Amino acid sequence: MKPGESNKALFALEYLVAVAGAAYLFAFGWTSRRHRGFIQSIARYVGFAPRDVPPELPIRSLPEVLPETFTQQIVEQSFATGNVSPLELCVLNELVREHAPAAVLELGTFDGRTTLNLAANTPPETKIWTLDLPAADVQKTRFALATGDRSYVVKDRSGARFENRPESAKIVQLHGDTATFDFSPWFGKIDFVFIDASHGYDYVLNDSRIALKLLRNGKGVIVWHDYGGWPGVTAALNHLRREPDFRDVVHIEGTTLALRIR
Ligand SMILES: C[S@@+](CC[C@H](N)C(=O)[O-])C[C@H]1O[C@@H](n2cnc3c(N)ncnc32)[C@H](O)[C@@H]1O
């Protein structure tokens, strides 16, 4: 047998099974909710990008997920387009106050306003890693970025708001594409993940699955930004909530934050 021949035989078999599976899926399988989600994924994989994706996650009010009284420090209040809203910043600050994570990983640094606030509201020994796509790599991403992502990627530097701040001693800036970055040194070592990088559908699926691997013993907090705001984020979380690992994700009322606590 020549090299590569066995791979060709395997691919031929997979091709036939996939054709038979697709025939079943499109003829009868669409009647199941899980299969409908898969059909939607295929449509998005080949470039379909709906403009309005209605949120489907169950809504929880603020008092259902946080204490009635907030006891936090807000730093660098001023809002820049690309940041979380003032209320979302308060929610994130209070979540880390409540859960006191030893290790935090943020996907998507931008100017570092949220990173800085997470640093200001976590215990002194907490370590925070934040990953951002270098501007020079904006054309080289593994998956398609969402329309509109580019303006947040192309900037002079990431994390400008925490530069020269005392809180920055807790923060480590990482650079790379969330789809190709080697997260393995952090697997099983993170207590709080904030997902706010690319808003593309494939990226949100990718980043969410990475977040699961990052959590320590599968336990901890995952927060997504822009649910209900960006179609790719909304569609990806609507899809993921059909899977057991994400079935308890909720949408925090009055915000575009989605939350999973285990
Ligand atoms: C909306 S901004 C993040 C805002 C920030 N988390 C905050 O709360 O202020 C999105 C960030 O994700 C980064 N980003 C976009 N695509 C990425 C990718 N594939 N990998 C890593 N970072 C990415 C962009 O460079 C940008 O800084």
Side-chain angles (χ1 to χ4, degrees), residues 152-171:
Y152 305 118
V153 178
V154 179
K155 54 193 175 299
D156 287 345
R157 58 201 196 281
S158 304
R161 298 239 213 173
F162 58 72
E163 273 175 16
N164 305 318
R165 298 272 316 203
E167 297 88 344
S168 68
K170 290 172 157 183
I171 301 171

Side-chain angles (χ1 to χ4, degrees), residues 9-171:
L10 177 64
F11 177 73
L13 190 60
E14 285 170 333
Y15 182 90
L16 290 174
V17 172
V19 169
Y24 167 78
L25 191 70
F26 289 104
F28 311 105
W30 60 269
T31 54
S32 114
R33 187 174 159 175
R34 188 165 73 90
H35 292 155
R36 280 200 297 279
F38 185 63
I39 291 170
Q40 288 171 314
S41 301
I42 296 172
R44 287 183 184 116
Y45 183 79
V46 296
F48 175 66
R51 264 171 199 276
D52 294 315
V53 180
E56 289 175 8
L57 292 178
I59 295 179
R60 293 286 174 275
S61 65
L62 280 181
E64 286 178 277
V65 291
L66 287 170
E68 287 282 356
T69 308
F70 285 5
T71 54
Q72 58 183 271
Q73 200 191 344
I74 304 180
V75 273
E76 285 279 331
Q77 279 197 47
S78 59
F79 172 84
T81 306
N83 288 148
V84 300
S85 75
L87 175 61
E88 291 166 345
L89 189 61
C90 291
V91 170
L92 285 158
N93 283 347
E94 210 55 33
L95 280 169
V96 290
R97 285 241 157 203
E98 276 290 293
H99 293 273
V104 174
L105 205 150
E106 176 186 40
L107 300 180
T109 313
F110 189 47
D111 63 4
R113 175 174 172 260
T114 299
T115 333
L116 173 63
N117 275 273
L118 297 179
N121 288 284
T122 41
E125 58 284 358
T126 297
K127 192 106 189 153
I128 301 177
W129 289 272
T130 180
L131 175 71
D132 211 32
L133 184 67
D137 292 351
V138 71
Q139 306 280 17
K140 301 181 208 155
T141 54
R142 166 115 181 240
F143 302 125
L145 295 178
T147 314
D149 274 342
R150 197 191 144 85
S151 59
Y152 305 118
V153 178
V154 179
K155 54 193 175 299
D156 287 345
R157 58 201 196 281
S158 304
R161 298 239 213 173
F162 58 72
E163 273 175 16
N164 305 318
R165 298 272 316 203
E167 297 88 344
S168 68
K170 290 172 157 183
I171 301 171

Side-chain angles (χ1 to χ4, degrees), residues 127-261:
K127 192 106 189 153
I128 301 177
W129 289 272
T130 180
L131 175 71
D132 211 32
L133 184 67
D137 292 351
V138 71
Q139 306 280 17
K140 301 181 208 155
T141 54
R142 166 115 181 240
F143 302 125
L145 295 178
T147 314
D149 274 342
R150 197 191 144 85
S151 59
Y152 305 118
V153 178
V154 179
K155 54 193 175 299
D156 287 345
R157 58 201 196 281
S158 304
R161 298 239 213 173
F162 58 72
E163 273 175 16
N164 305 318
R165 298 272 316 203
E167 297 88 344
S168 68
K170 290 172 157 183
I171 301 171
V172 178
Q173 178 73 63
L174 304 169
H175 302 277
D177 177 355
T178 60
T180 51
F181 186 81
D182 178 13
F183 287 97
S184 59
W186 290 270
F187 284 167
K189 295 184 181 151
I190 302 293
D191 309 292
F192 189 102
V193 184
F194 180 44
I195 302 179
D196 191 17
S198 169
H199 304 86
Y201 179 80
D202 290 314
Y203 269 109
V204 182
L205 291 185
N206 171 77
D207 299 355
S208 306
R209 298 197 196 290
I210 285 168
L212 288 184
K213 293 187 188 168
L214 292 169
L215 289 185
R216 202 187 297 274
N217 303 318
K219 300 237 177 344
V221 180
I222 305 176
V223 185
W224 293 258
H225 187 224
D226 293 311
Y227 181 73
W230 286 65
V233 181
T234 314
L237 279 168
N238 288 351
H239 173 78
L240 285 172
R241 70 182 287 248
R242 297 173 179 121
E243 299 179 9
D245 281 331
F246 295 98
R247 73 170 150 235
D248 46 357
V249 178
V250 295
H251 180 188
I252 305 180
E253 192 171 40
T255 74
T256 65
L257 299 176
L259 173 70
R260 176 193 186 269
I261 302 178

